[in-house]
Amino acid sequence: MFIKDIFDSKKPVLSFEVFPPKKTENLDKVKATVEKISKIPVDYMSVTYGAGGSTSKLTAEIAEFMQKDLNVTALAHLTCISLTKSEVDNMLETLKGKGIKNILALRGDIPAGTEFPLKDGYSYASELTEEIKRFGGFCVGGACYPECHPDCGSIDEDIDNLKRKVDAGADFLVTQMFFDNNAFYDFRDKCVKKGINVPITAGIMPLTNAKQIEKMCVLSGGASMPSSFVKIISKHIDNPDALKQAGIAYAINQIIDLVSNDTSGIHIYTMNNPETAEKIVDAVNAMF
């Protein structure tokens, strides 16, 4: 099923993100985790793509497992940062052969000391999106940053780039994680004014430990933290169990507010943790 059709039929759409193992020998363990997560009522699940394409084969295999064994619509991530144009087409053939119909088209992070762009590669996710649409047979999602892409000079410039991605064929958008819903609402309003009219799904990361908080803020491109969230961290920083519960509670409150304000979808970054995902969905289940 095309994910764009899910957005046409219901609102809000609920989705989860999982990541493949770094080593093939851990694949069965990750599949077992994915199966546990899939038992939570969900509209689709996405599978990330390792840095430099390091887990590309496992991404495709897990996406196929979701659809064929678990009967869950899969969204396979695909980054173009380390692929030539012919390698992109080969990857599209692989995904097509596995029955995958949805791709999240990403540029990917530029690894230090590597050539960018490749001599015969793509420089931007908008170019990758255009190629996937030319190839045919896929629904394409795109990433977006409510508080501006870290490589971009301003939010207005970033939204101009996002408009090019949508014009290239992106059917829906998924945000990077954020903790300030007002930043998301401002971003959404700017997108509407720019003529971006595809569904925008809010990416929510339940931060449940101090180390994760520090790491994820770097990976998110510097997502700001509202004072209410900072107070939670400060209060419970020395109590791991309390911090975990507070992080889950904050994510639940974010989601309730987002759904109440007509957000198209909620995408939960599960970090391959079924228990956390289940607690969140149980708390807001009536809203989906």
Side-chain angles (χ1 to χ4, degrees):
M1 184 177 190
F2 287 149
I3 289 173
K4 65 181 180 181
D5 295 333
I6 301 176
F7 282 106
D8 287 341
S9 63
K10 67 168 291 190
K11 189 176 184 179
V13 170
L14 176 64
S15 55
F16 299 146
E17 178 185 283
V18 298
F19 55 83
K22 293 181 179 180
K23 298 180 180 180
T24 303
E25 54 263 35
N26 294 327
L27 180 59
D28 287 342
K29 182 178 179 181
V30 171
K31 281 186 175 181
T33 298
V34 170
E35 184 171 6
K36 286 182 181 179
I37 295 174
S38 74
K39 295 183 184 301
I40 307 168
V42 66
D43 294 302
Y44 72 89
M45 292 175 66
S46 76
V47 194
T48 65
Y49 192 90
S54 58
T55 65
S56 58
K57 292 182 180 179
L58 300 181
T59 295
E61 185 168 343
I62 292 174
E64 181 182 33
F65 171 70
M66 285 178 178
Q67 294 201 161
K68 291 187 176 180
D69 294 82
L70 305 178
N71 197 31
V72 174
T73 298
L75 173 66
H77 291 211
L78 178 61
T79 64
C80 61
I81 192 72
S82 60
L83 300 177
T84 64
K85 293 179 180 179
S86 62
E87 287 171 335
V88 166
D89 282 350
N90 289 339
M91 193 65 206
L92 295 178
E93 287 286 2
T94 296
L95 292 171
K96 180 180 179 181
K98 291 181 178 295
I100 307 304
K101 296 186 176 182
N102 302 281
I103 295 176
L104 188 66
L106 306 164
R107 186 199 70 178
D109 296 326
I110 304 172
T114 61
E115 177 187 358
F116 175 78
L118 294 179
K119 188 174 182 180
D120 184 31
Y122 298 105
S123 299
Y124 304 105
S126 57
E127 297 173 345
L128 177 60
T129 299
E130 188 173 21
E131 170 57 20
I132 297 170
K133 283 296 184 177
R134 183 204 65 76
F135 187 93
F138 293 103
C139 170
V140 182
C144 57
Y145 288 72
E147 297 177 84
C148 190
H149 191 287
D151 292 346
C152 213
S154 70
I155 188 66
D156 291 327
E157 179 187 348
D158 194 25
I159 291 176
D160 284 340
N161 292 335
L162 186 61
K163 180 65 163 60
R164 280 190 278 273
K165 191 187 299 185
V166 172
D167 289 346
D171 298 295
F172 64 96
L173 300 171
V174 181
T175 76
Q176 260 288 3
M177 67 173 183
F178 60 89
F179 308 104
D180 185 350
N181 285 6
N182 288 327
F184 171 79
Y185 299 140
D186 289 345
F187 169 77
R188 187 173 62 177
D189 289 344
K190 288 178 183 291
C191 286
V192 170
K193 290 177 182 178
K194 184 59 66 173
I196 295 172
N197 54 14
V198 298
I200 302 177
T201 290
I204 300 299
M205 169 75 81
L207 297 183
T208 56
N209 63 71
K211 185 176 181 180
Q212 184 189 43
I213 289 168
E214 181 178 351
K215 180 180 179 181
M216 288 301 111
C217 285
V218 172
L219 293 178
S220 71
S224 61
M225 289 189 175
S227 59
S228 58
F229 189 54
V230 173
K231 287 178 181 178
I232 289 173
I233 296 171
S234 300
K235 182 177 181 179
H236 301 296
I237 195 68
D238 296 321
N239 186 335
D241 289 338
L243 182 60
K244 178 179 179 179
Q245 296 309 315
I248 292 173
Y250 189 88
I252 290 170
N253 289 333
Q254 263 195 287
I255 292 169
I256 291 172
D257 181 73
L258 288 162
V259 173
S260 299
N261 283 278
D262 209 29
T263 301
S264 296
I266 303 295
H267 189 66
I268 299 176
Y269 296 103
T270 69
M271 299 302 292
N272 288 14
N273 189 319
E275 291 75 20
T276 297
E278 186 173 18
K279 284 183 179 180
I280 292 172
V281 174
D282 282 349
V284 298
N285 190 45
M287 307 189 80
F288 293 96

